[in-house]
Amino acid sequence: MQCYVYRSRRKPGSFLFLPEKDHFERVPEVLMTIFGVPEFSFDFELTEQRKLVLKLEAHEIRRVIQENGFFLQLPPNEEQRC
């Protein structure tokens, strides 16, 4: 699965992963308001063999993207508060 990663200028350390470039339709409006204007960072092929900085495995990120249409990565200190 190809992933397109956008960073938030408003929330440093927050990243939005999408399966299609610039397709934000499935991201809730309230989340986009909090996230701010997304800035494209990079794209990559999400495979099981790929080592990720995230604590989650590639198959878990893929599952979330397939279910929700996006994956939101928050900075570690914000993840602990959720």
Side-chain angles (χ1 to χ4, degrees):
M1 167 187 278
Q2 192 69 20
C3 282
Y4 299 88
V5 182
Y6 298 81
R7 71 183 181 104
S8 172
R9 289 186 190 183
R10 186 175 288 167
K11 297 290 243 177
S14 297
F15 295 91
L16 191 59
F17 292 56
L18 299 177
E20 295 180 66
K21 190 170 185 180
D22 299 332
H23 283 245
F24 299 96
E25 295 83 12
R26 292 189 62 193
V27 182
E29 188 176 326
V30 67
L31 176 58
M32 290 303 296
T33 300
I34 294 167
F35 193 82
V37 176
E39 181 178 282
F40 180 74
S41 292
F42 62 95
D43 65 291
F44 70 99
E45 184 71 25
L46 180 62
T47 64
E48 296 302 319
Q49 296 77 27
R50 187 170 194 83
K51 296 287 184 190
L52 300 171
V53 177
L54 305 173
K55 296 176 189 174
L56 296 174
E57 297 290 329
H59 69 273
E60 182 65 16
I61 294 170
R62 178 182 284 117
R63 181 190 66 75
V64 171
I65 290 173
Q66 288 172 339
E67 288 179 9
N68 300 325
F70 67 94
F71 176 83
L72 178 63
Q73 175 188 333
L74 297 173
N77 60 343
E78 289 193 29
E79 289 176 351
Q80 293 170 357
R81 286 189 261 164
C82 294

